[in-house]
Amino acid sequence: MNSSNQKPTNIDPNLPLSRHLVDNEHTLKMMFERCSDVIFRDVTLQGDTKLLFIYVDGMIDKDIIQSVILKPLMYEGIPQGIGPIDSIAQMCDQQLFAVLQTKKVNTFHDAADDILKGNLAILADGEASVLLTNVSQFEARSIEEPSTEASLRGTRESFTETLRTNTTMLRRIIVTPNLKMESFHIGKLTQTEIVLAYIEGIVSASMLDEIRSRVQQIDLQDVLESGYIEESIEDTNFSPFPQMQSTERPDVVSSGLLEGRVGILVSGSPIALIVPMTFWDGLQAPDDYYERFMYVTMNRWIRYLFALFAILFPSVYIALTTYHPEMVPPKLMLSITGLREQAPFPTVIEVFIMEFMFEGLREAGIRLPQQIGPLVSIVGALVIGQAAVQAGIISAPIVIVVSAAGISSFVIPRYRFGYPMRMLRFPLLVLSGIFGLFGTAIGMIAILSHLIHLTPFGSPYLQPVAPTRKSRVKNVFLRWPRQRAGKSRT
């Protein structure tokens, strides 16, 4: 019979185990029917005690099973002072597995869940419970250098797909018992473990309760990456601006925790979330607090100017050359007009063509193999732009404008924060093409109004600028030097 036509085996989640080993084995084999990686192994101890070991091949450490469990019981015999072992309760009472984490469950559903998480299940005849021992061992990627958040100074460690590796990196940075890590399992099918990390005494209790409540209310079949959690708990899905900061760097998460925020770590994902996020977080680089304050302050101003340049330059160019040529210096306007004489399309259409082409090449550069991706995105844009100018399809100033705006968006240190800058260029192009500078002003006012009203998890998105917090607003525009040792500031 075709396996696609077979119905899944449904077992009552609350069905308790039987005292008969044969019945328990039959039920569990029904649950794991057609699961070739789930191993059932019969073991007979001294005194004819029959045990059944169940585990997932590839998820457990077989050396631990052999040396810590099987060898003492079967080959070396029961230690002196311990009578014959004929039940799971005696195994626990006599502390035969003292070096392992063990627990007992009484339902088939709980037993199956723990087996699929990498635990070894031990069933004994005459016992209506399962002894579960943690002997999990997974193949994991080693800690590598961050690939999307490069910095000239600072740690070279990034998160991995292993949750406990990620929590360990945070523990190593923040050495205090006040660093709390609450665990939840989300996803009916995947049972993905996620961790809320925060520092007790620094985090806002009301914000923590809100985040915890939203996480507990998530009702999904599967959670494969931290993006599932982000989309499920953010305030609005219709804002182009990210409401949670995503990062693969443990030092960035630690910095957020020390500022009273909450970190969200997801098993299987090397990307952590920091809640809540502000607009200014998207324009700050990881090494801003590692370099000298004068360099950082200058770089911050450069980022702010280029971020504004990335979103406004194409629309302002359209408005000035189409509706307000008197605002452009005469010699420059004559040069632009001369270059545009052979162009068959209006300026706004030319900009749209080049913008779509630039975005397509950028996306192609990401999806292509790492060795040729950068060549396609950068060289391709130059070659196509030059060919379009020589063919008379696009005027030369348009290539300069679109390229300058695209390169400006690369200055933004958080890659995801560059998305809204690129997206919002297109409605601003439409408004400037229809209404000129008046349309550009309308678009910018709408964007600012949206940012002012955006309050992820009750925290204003533009704080500490709007609303103004004098004690913190200085840090947005300046990176003030730290207090010198042995010297107090007046």
Side-chain angles (χ1 to χ4, degrees), residues 11 27 45 58 89 112 124 151 196 239 282 297 303 315 337 345 420 444 489:
I11 302 295
T27 303
L45 302 182
S151 63
L196 298 186
S239 173
T297 299
R303 290 186 208 125
S315 57
T337 303
F345 303 110
M444 290 303 297
R489 251 190 224 104

Side-chain angles (χ1 to χ4, degrees), residues 61-73 76:
D61 189 337
K62 293 182 180 179
D63 291 335
I64 292 181
I65 295 179
Q66 186 70 26
S67 60
V68 179
I69 299 176
L70 288 177
K71 188 176 181 180
L73 291 179
E76 297 180 355

Side-chain angles (χ1 to χ4, degrees), residues 101-178:
Q101 296 179 11
T102 62
K103 68 176 182 179
K104 289 200 300 182
V105 297
N106 302 309
T107 65
F108 286 102
H109 183 268
D110 291 338
D113 278 351
D114 281 282
I115 291 171
L116 294 173
K117 291 175 184 176
N119 290 316
L120 170 67
I122 304 176
L123 293 86
D125 199 15
E127 289 288 320
S129 60
V130 179
L131 178 65
L132 295 157
T133 65
N134 186 4
V135 291
S136 59
Q137 183 184 51
F138 306 95
E139 293 294 331
R141 181 170 62 92
S142 61
I143 298 174
E144 299 173 354
E145 186 172 346
S147 58
T148 59
E149 296 176 86
S151 63
L152 299 177
R153 188 170 180 175
T155 178
R156 295 294 188 267
E157 292 182 336
S158 66
F159 287 129
T160 70
E161 288 76 13
T162 307
L163 182 62
R164 285 302 157 223
T165 301
N166 299 340
T167 57
T168 300
M169 284 192 278
L170 294 181
R171 286 284 183 195
R172 197 174 60 192
I173 297 173
I174 305 176
V175 188
T176 173
N178 290 331

Side-chain angles (χ1 to χ4, degrees), residues 136-442:
S136 59
Q137 183 184 51
F138 306 95
E139 293 294 331
R141 181 170 62 92
S142 61
I143 298 174
E144 299 173 354
E145 186 172 346
S147 58
T148 59
E149 296 176 86
S151 63
L152 299 177
R153 188 170 180 175
T155 178
R156 295 294 188 267
E157 292 182 336
S158 66
F159 287 129
T160 70
E161 288 76 13
T162 307
L163 182 62
R164 285 302 157 223
T165 301
N166 299 340
T167 57
T168 300
M169 284 192 278
L170 294 181
R171 286 284 183 195
R172 197 174 60 192
I173 297 173
I174 305 176
V175 188
T176 173
N178 290 331
L179 174 58
K180 307 300 181 182
M181 295 188 180
E182 297 184 21
S183 178
F184 302 88
H185 288 86
I186 309 297
K188 296 177 181 178
L189 296 179
T190 58
Q191 285 293 299
T192 306
E193 183 179 5
I194 75 169
V195 167
L196 298 186
Y198 58 91
I199 299 180
E200 193 174 50
I202 297 181
V203 68
S204 167
S206 59
M207 183 182 68
L208 177 61
D209 291 340
E210 177 65 21
I211 296 171
R212 187 189 292 120
S213 173
R214 294 190 191 186
V215 168
Q216 291 174 337
Q217 292 175 13
I218 295 176
D219 185 19
L220 296 174
Q221 290 289 331
D222 58 312
V223 175
L224 304 180
E225 211 272 339
S226 57
Y228 286 60
I229 304 299
E230 179 179 9
E231 192 171 358
S232 299
I233 66 174
E234 63 185 0
D235 285 63
T236 174
N237 299 123
F238 297 99
S239 173
F241 293 91
Q243 296 153 61
M244 301 177 211
Q245 182 178 342
S246 62
T247 180
E248 59 179 342
R249 298 176 61 104
D251 59 333
V252 174
V253 176
S254 300
S255 175
L257 299 183
L258 293 168
E259 293 175 356
R261 305 185 193 186
V262 178
I264 302 178
L265 308 177
V266 179
S267 178
S269 173
I271 304 298
L273 303 175
I274 304 175
V275 184
M277 177 184 180
T278 68
F279 178 85
W280 313 106
D281 291 332
L283 297 172
Q284 293 185 3
D287 52 356
D288 274 4
Y289 292 89
Y290 304 148
E291 287 287 358
R292 298 193 65 204
F293 77 98
M294 290 183 290
Y295 309 152
V296 174
T297 299
M298 181 187 69
N299 287 334
R300 279 189 180 177
W301 279 101
I302 290 174
R303 290 186 208 125
Y304 296 158
L305 292 175
F306 270 82
L308 196 63
F309 192 81
I311 192 173
L312 281 178
F313 188 36
S315 57
V316 170
Y317 173 82
I318 292 173
L320 292 178
T321 57
T322 305
Y323 293 96
H324 313 283
E326 70 280 359
M327 298 180 66
V328 182
K331 289 186 178 181
L332 178 59
M333 193 64 216
L334 287 173
S335 177
I336 294 173
T337 303
L339 293 170
R340 288 203 64 255
E341 284 182 351
Q342 303 300 322
F345 303 110
T347 303
V348 63
I349 301 299
E350 289 183 306
V351 174
F352 261 103
I353 292 174
M354 286 304 299
E355 283 285 358
F356 276 113
M357 186 61 66
F358 194 90
E359 290 298 324
L361 289 170
R362 191 203 305 249
E363 185 69 13
I366 296 174
R367 305 303 168 194
L368 286 171
Q370 187 175 2
Q371 292 80 1
I372 63 175
L375 296 177
V376 171
S377 60
I378 298 174
V379 178
L382 295 175
V383 171
I384 292 175
Q386 182 64 25
V389 171
Q390 291 181 349
I393 300 174
I394 302 294
S395 61
I398 299 299
V399 177
I400 297 173
V401 169
V402 173
S403 300
I407 293 172
S408 298
S409 65
F410 290 130
V411 177
I412 299 173
R414 308 289 181 187
Y415 183 77
R416 291 179 70 245
F417 199 72
Y419 281 127
M421 305 300 177
R422 291 154 52 190
M423 287 179 55
L424 294 173
R425 278 209 297 263
F426 291 98
L428 287 175
L429 290 177
V430 174
L431 290 172
S432 62
I434 298 174
F435 302 107
L437 286 179
F438 180 69
T440 305
I442 291 175

